[in-house]
Amino acid sequence: MPTRRDVLAGLASAGAVGAAGCVQVGSSDAAPRATDTNGTAGADADGNGAASAGTETDVYRSTIESVVGILNYGPSGPQGSGSGFVAGDGYVVTNQHVVAGASEVKLRFQGNTWRDAEIVGTDAYSDLAVLRAEDRPESATPLSWVDTDPEPPVGTPVMAIGSPYGFSGSASTGIISGVDRVLSAPNNFTVADSVQTDAALNPGNSGGPLVTDDGDVAAVAARGGGDNIGFGVSAELSKRVVPELAESGEYDHPYMGVRLIEVSPVIAEAYDIDDVGGVLIVEVVEDGPAAGTLRGTEGSTSVDGVSVPTGGDVVVGIGGTDVEVQADLSNYLALEASPGESVEFTVLRDGSETTVSFELGERPDPGV
């Protein structure tokens, strides 16, 4: 069976043949192709090649059958809605916050086809969930994740498909506007390695796919953040979490047991750091994995009228990766580390750089 990418390639090729001036034999609509002022065939009014025309429609048509609307029912009736998509061996991926507290879940496939769904697994820390649909329609074939080595760069065209405000099968387009973000999710947890997009994401888009021109999922739409700013859970993190949720119903995240803040200019001045960068360990959880290894702050000083906590370690590296901002640390833990693994940290302590290591723990149950 041809893959979704093969279908899109075929559609693009067909579009290119059409753009080259081929018409159906016997057609009375045959007409010479337009040329631009330079005599270049196939240019549109803006001077762009016509061969790309229809690409977004092709992407939509090749993926829409795999996208679902989701209704969350509680003891008192409907209590939320969102989107999702078929992946893996036929399970449905969505956000954890879309199905949180549900006693019953309904899926709406294309053609107004409704199915009951079972919640197989949820993970609040990545805001991901996996569902199983009863008697999934054959046309709802699994979408593939993008190749994340390397991940799609900023500027990659993407399409968000879902059910904003209950309007099923809606699409919006844009680009990947940023990567390696730390997302504040609706469930009050932060999600590492998030993707930023300017494609419109509205209430109801949550859990739907953000797909590339190849029809592959670059992120799971999670929330809109304002005008032209939306966020999704990256394919790289999803590829780690989702299979575990499908198999065991849960995913274990690594845990340091610290509270930290990014090094700002006033913190850098207080710690006599030449370059602003790194994260300051403000507090170490008693009996946590980092206890006895990393140091939290013990006092404070004032810099330019700002109170700055002092005495703590400044983490500037983890596992051989530089830590400039909190996202560097969070993304390493989310994508490279696992509970029970011993990890090396490069820290600035008492004016000197040193290396320490300890075994990561398992992030405690969020209680949601």
Side-chain angles (χ1 to χ4, degrees), residues 122-197:
T122 63
D123 178 51
Y125 292 128
S126 63
D127 196 19
L128 291 171
V130 169
L131 316 176
R132 286 282 182 189
E134 295 182 5
D135 191 25
R136 172 173 54 88
E138 290 185 2
S139 60
T141 56
L143 299 181
S144 300
W145 301 103
V146 295
D147 184 359
T148 54
D149 185 22
E151 65 183 344
V154 172
T156 300
V158 288
M159 175 181 291
I161 308 176
S163 302
Y165 297 108
F167 293 106
S168 63
S170 297
S172 60
T173 60
I175 61 170
I176 291 178
S177 307
V179 295
D180 300 333
R181 306 302 198 204
V182 176
L183 166 66
S184 178
N187 56 22
N188 296 322
F189 293 99
T190 56
V191 180
D193 196 50
S194 295
V195 172
Q196 179 185 335
T197 181

Side-chain angles (χ1 to χ4, degrees), residues 8 11-12 15 49-61 159:
L8 285 169
L11 290 169
S52 62
T55 298
E56 292 170 345
T57 300
D58 296 338
V59 172
Y60 180 83
R61 288 174 175 171
M159 175 181 291

Side-chain angles (χ1 to χ4, degrees), residues 3 18 30 35 39 45 72 81 90 103 156 178 182 193-194 196 218 254 256-257 265 274 302 320 331 340:
T3 66
T35 59
N72 173 336
S81 64
S103 56
T156 300
V182 176
D193 196 50
S194 295
Q196 179 185 335
M256 291 175 60
D274 293 334
S302 180
N331 292 345

Side-chain angles (χ1 to χ4, degrees), residues 205-233:
N205 271 117
S206 293
L210 198 66
V211 298
T212 65
D213 284 350
D214 288 326
D216 297 329
V217 180
V220 181
R223 67 174 300 174
D227 292 340
N228 301 320
I229 297 181
F231 298 92
V233 185

Side-chain angles (χ1 to χ4, degrees), residues 9 11 24 44 70 117 136 141-142 148 188 198 209 247 272 283 303 322 340 350 357 363:
L11 290 169
Q24 183 176 354
D44 59 21
I70 298 177
R136 172 173 54 88
T141 56
T148 54
N188 296 322
D198 66 349
E247 182 176 345
D272 197 22
E283 180 184 359
V303 178
D322 291 340
D350 299 330
S357 64
R363 203 167 180 180

Side-chain angles (χ1 to χ4, degrees), residues 66-80:
S66 303
V67 182
V68 302
I70 298 177
L71 289 182
N72 173 336
Y73 288 86
S76 302
Q79 58 182 19

